[in-house]
Every structure is written in C-alpha cells, then in structure tokens.
Amino acid sequence: MLVTMSGQELSKFCFGTMQFGHGSTYDQSGSVYTECRQSNINHFDTAHTYTGGLSETWLGEFLKGEREQIFVSSKVGYTGGSAPKNLSAQLSESRKRLKQDTIDLLYLHRFDPDTPLEKTLTWFSEQLEKKTIRYCGVSNFAAWQITKAEFIAQNLGLKISAAQPMYSLVKRQAEVEIFPACQDLNIECFSYSPLGAGLLTGKYQKQTQNGRLANDARYAKRYGNLEMHKTATALNKLSNQYSVDPATLAVAWIAKSKYQPVPIVSARNTKQLTPVLNALNFDMSDELFDEINNLAPKPAPATDRLEEQV
Ligand SMILES: NC(=O)c1ccc[n+]([C@@H]2O[C@H](COP(=O)([O-])OP(=O)(O)OC[C@H]3O[C@@H](n4cnc5c(N)ncnc54)[C@H](OP(=O)(O)O)[C@@H]3O)[C@@H](O)[C@H]2O)c1
C-alpha cells in the first residue's frame, strides 16, 4: 500500500493538475487545490511535460507547509525517450520546480521501444536508493509491458508499485488485461481521464461546445467515435432521471467498478470541481451501477471467447 511521507493512506481520489497553467489560471488552480484539501484529497498528480513546467511549479507552491501530508506523483520520459540521461535531466528539473528533494511516486510516462527496460529500471532503482523518489510507476503501458517490467524489476530488487492507465465509461480497454494483471502482480492502479476528458459531463450534447474536445485535435480524435457520444448522451439522460450530475455518476461508477482503480479526477475551476468531488460521498446503488455499466459496450475478453464472459 502506498502512503504519504507521514504514513497516511492515500485519498479515495487523486487530483490531476494537467490544467494548471493551461485553461486554469494561477488563482483558479489555487482555489481548486484548496477545495480538494477541504475534501481530504491528499494525492496530486503532475508530470514533467505538463504546461511547460507550470503544473509542477504551482503544485509545489500550493503544497508548501504541508508537504509530509501530501502525496505527489509526477512522470518523466514523455519526450526524449527513457534512457537514463534524459530521465535524470527531467527528474532534476521536476524536483527543482516542485521544490522537493523527494517525489513520492515517479512514473515512466510511456513505454519506449528503443530503450531496454533493464536500463530504465536500473535507473529507477538507483533513484530509490538515492531517495529522489519513494515509489516507481509506469503509465500508458500495455499489460504485457507492465508484466515484463515487474519481472525485470524483481530481479533488480525493485517493485513496480503503481500503474496509470486511461479508464472511463467510454474507454474500458483496461478492464481486459491491465487491471487483472495489476491485481495479480500487486500493483496499484490510478486511472486517468474519468470523464473522458469532459465528454461524460454531457456538455458536448448541448449547444455550447467549449472545452478540450472542441479545442484540441488530439483529444477530438481520441473521443471521436460516435458510440462514445451515444454513451455520453445516454448517461446525461440517466442523470436527469436521477437528478444527479453526470460527472458525479461517471466518477462514482469507476469507484464502484470491479477493479476499483483510484480515479485521477480533474477540473479547470471550482464550479467544474463540485460535481466531481460529490462522487466521493455518492452512494451508488447496485441497480444504478448496472444501468450505467450497460450504457457502453463491454470490451471482449482477451481470449475473445464471448460465451465465457462474465
Ligand atoms: N498518464 C497520462 O498520459 C495522462 C493523460 C491524461 C491525463 N492524465 C492525468 O489525469 C488527470 C485527469 O485527466 P483529465 O483531465 O483527462 O480528466 P477528465 O476528468 O476526464 O477531464 C477533465 C476535464 O473535463 C472538463 N470538466 C471537468 N469537470 C467538468 C464539469 N463539471 N463540467 C464541464 N466540464 C468539466 C474540464 O475540461 P474542459 O473544460 O477543457 O472541457 C476538465 O479539465 C490529469 O490532470 C493528469 O494528471 C494522465
């Protein structure tokens, strides 16, 4: 189990700061941080690559004075590959921006096919020894890559403590192999984009089309499938029926799902944040869970033997 420096358990949700400095001003980001703390969130996620360093810098400022109570995860290797020289340069910069000697959890941001995992994981092992990080994680890895990394890590006396895949009602691939692999290997899952980058708030079903999917071609493509938009429309309808915000339902559904990954939630301002945080205390009935679960197709099992799917 991952814990803060002061030994506390991590909160039920993590807050992701990818919007700090892009879409969220300094004041808005500070208010969002304060509201998360008031809701007892103690886990914040950032990355070397986010917003030219503002995400890490602002997070470092906001958590000043309560460092030991906060669990900070960051990521390196999104750009420049996962060879030790690049990772060292990025980690050094991240620690300076965050004004921290130690980052609690450091993820490799994505798999690099051009660098042997042995090299990268030896580097992680050295960082743990030097106490520049407390835990090692991987993000955007396929299940086979996670498994391979864990076995290499074991030979180095290292543990892959966490994985960070994408997961939401409209992105369910992780259910097939990533979550079961992580459960089997005792790797904690912190899953990102619980609202499908905003799609599941229902706002793209209305006239106002202001948000990431309208402004960012990469995200528009990621969520461009018509079926995903149909799911968002259906979730919105259900939310009207139950008088609960669709963002609350989308996040609470993850928290109640079979493998119960920790959702990495996010919002650009406190208005957006309120329905997201409401999911913390939303007691979803089994019936409502099933209704939401049936709004999106379940991915086929890894064997493709549909008749054996439970
Ligand atoms: N490892 C990785 O590769 C990776 C990738 C992505 C994210 N992450 C992490 O996961 C965190 C969360 O990811 P995400 O931002 O994609 O999560 P998300 O929860 O799927 O999307 C959050 C976005 O949805 C919109 N939104 C949120 N609440 C809303 C509301 N009530 N009404 C209307 N719109 C609302 C906002 O964007 P707009 O207002 O702009 O629409 C907000 O920034 C990130 O901060 C980051 O830490 C990691």
Side-chain angles (χ1 to χ4, degrees):
M1 189 177 59
L2 280 63
V3 294
T4 63
M5 281 180 184
S6 56
Q8 283 163 337
E9 277 183 31
L10 304 193
S11 43
K12 220 167 116 185
F13 297 170
C14 168
F15 184 84
T17 64
M18 190 171 72
Q19 304 307 308
F20 284 8
H22 181 80
S24 188
T25 64
Y26 182 83
D27 287 346
Q28 286 171 326
S29 303
S31 303
V32 158
Y33 178 86
T34 304
E35 283 214 3
C36 283
R37 291 297 294 131
Q38 282 163 356
S39 294
N40 292 322
I41 289 189
N42 64 2
H43 179 185
F44 291 84
D45 183 71
T46 181
H48 177 269
T49 195
Y50 291 165
T51 56
L54 284 181
S55 170
E56 289 182 325
T57 305
W58 292 1
L59 177 61
E61 283 179 31
F62 299 149
L63 60 77
K64 219 160 46 187
E66 56 170 1
R67 173 65 186 100
E68 304 233 319
Q69 281 73 53
I70 303 295
F71 189 92
V72 177
S73 57
S74 191
K75 316 178 199 78
V76 288
Y78 187 77
T79 56
S82 66
K85 192 172 168 203
N86 183 50
L87 301 186
S88 288
Q90 295 189 355
L91 174 59
S92 160
E93 205 167 12
S94 292
R95 288 165 67 224
K96 271 189 206 137
R97 290 170 182 167
L98 284 158
K99 295 198 176 63
Q100 306 298 332
D101 292 332
T102 306
I103 291 176
D104 294 297
L105 166 61
L106 189 74
Y107 295 97
L108 180 62
H109 207 142
R110 59 175 164 189
F111 184 77
D112 171 12
D114 299 321
T115 306
L117 268 172
E118 285 83 353
K119 261 193 178 178
T120 305
L121 293 172
T122 301
W123 178 85
F124 268 93
S125 192
E126 287 162 6
Q127 301 315 310
L128 279 161
E129 212 151 279
K130 286 196 233 167
K131 298 193 173 18
T132 55
I133 66 173
R134 296 176 55 232
Y135 298 102
C136 162
V138 292
S139 181
N140 297 308
F141 268 40
W144 71 264
Q145 293 162 342
I146 295 174
T147 309
K148 184 174 175 183
E150 174 62 6
F151 280 99
I152 293 170
Q154 279 178 11
N155 283 333
L156 296 168
L158 174 72
K159 170 87 191 100
I160 306 289
S161 300
Q164 188 178 132
M166 181 194 298
Y167 186 57
S168 70
L169 187 60
V170 289
K171 290 283 187 187
R172 298 179 65 164
Q173 184 58 228
E175 288 172 23
V176 182
E177 300 222 62
I178 294 176
F179 292 152
C182 287
Q183 187 178 62
D184 186 68
L185 297 167
N186 193 24
I187 295 172
E188 288 190 41
C189 278
F190 301 95
S191 60
Y192 71 81
S193 294
L195 299 178
L199 176 63
L200 294 170
T201 63
K203 67 182 171 184
Y204 297 99
Q205 276 61 52
K206 296 176 189 145
Q207 287 305 312
T208 39
Q209 295 247 332
N210 191 21
R212 205 187 306 166
L213 299 194
N215 307 329
D216 186 328
R218 208 163 52 111
Y219 276 88
K221 191 165 182 194
R222 193 178 293 173
Y223 293 96
N225 184 315
L226 187 62
E227 288 304 313
M228 295 179 188
H229 287 256
K230 283 188 188 163
T231 297
T233 303
L235 182 69
N236 208 31
K237 213 169 140 197
L238 201 63
S239 90
N240 287 332
Q241 203 180 310
Y242 282 86
S243 302
V244 182
D245 194 287
T248 308
L249 295 182
V251 177
W253 173 81
I254 293 178
K256 197 180 165 74
S257 62
K258 181 173 174 191
Y259 292 99
Q260 303 196 329
V262 171
I264 308 179
V265 299
S266 195
R268 289 199 283 127
N269 50 49
T270 51
K271 187 166 176 255
Q272 286 188 347
L273 185 64
T274 301
V276 172
L277 291 186
N278 283 347
L280 277 169
N281 299 313
F282 183 73
D283 191 12
M284 184 177 279
S285 67
D286 293 344
E287 292 73 25
L288 179 53
F289 175 83
D290 288 343
E291 274 190 88
I292 296 173
N293 207 35
N294 291 332
L295 297 181
K298 216 173 161 217
T303 55
D304 251 347
R305 291 161 71 97
L306 287 179
E307 75 282 9
E308 291 175 0
Q309 195 168 35
V310 279

